[in-house]
Amino acid sequence: MSPACFAPAALTLCALAARILHWRPHEFWAATPAELAAALGLLAPGTARSGLDRETLQRLMEHDHDR
């Protein structure tokens, strides 16, 4: 994204986050683009990955001695 496009886009997204999420500017600037997209519900269904599948979770639970 060119610098000329960044400022208007950032201002628009900041305003959107303020209105919909009630975020203050510092909360907007502290968020990653992925966090903002998730908070606004912009991620397409099925695109968010947990990073931990059921099989891996089961294996970790089996090795956990503090159950």
Side-chain angles (χ1 to χ4, degrees), residues 34 37-38 42-52:
L42 300 176
L43 295 177
T47 59
R49 296 184 305 197
S50 69
L52 187 65

Side-chain angles (χ1 to χ4, degrees), residues 12-25 28 36 40:
T12 300
L13 287 171
C14 189
L16 186 64
R19 281 193 308 263
I20 295 174
L21 304 172
H22 305 284
W23 284 5
R24 293 175 298 259
F28 170 78
L36 178 60
L40 292 172

Side-chain angles (χ1 to χ4, degrees), residues 49-61:
R49 296 184 305 197
S50 69
L52 187 65
D53 61 19
R54 184 71 160 153
E55 180 181 328
T56 303
L57 176 60
Q58 187 65 38
R59 194 171 50 239
L60 290 171
M61 290 170 50

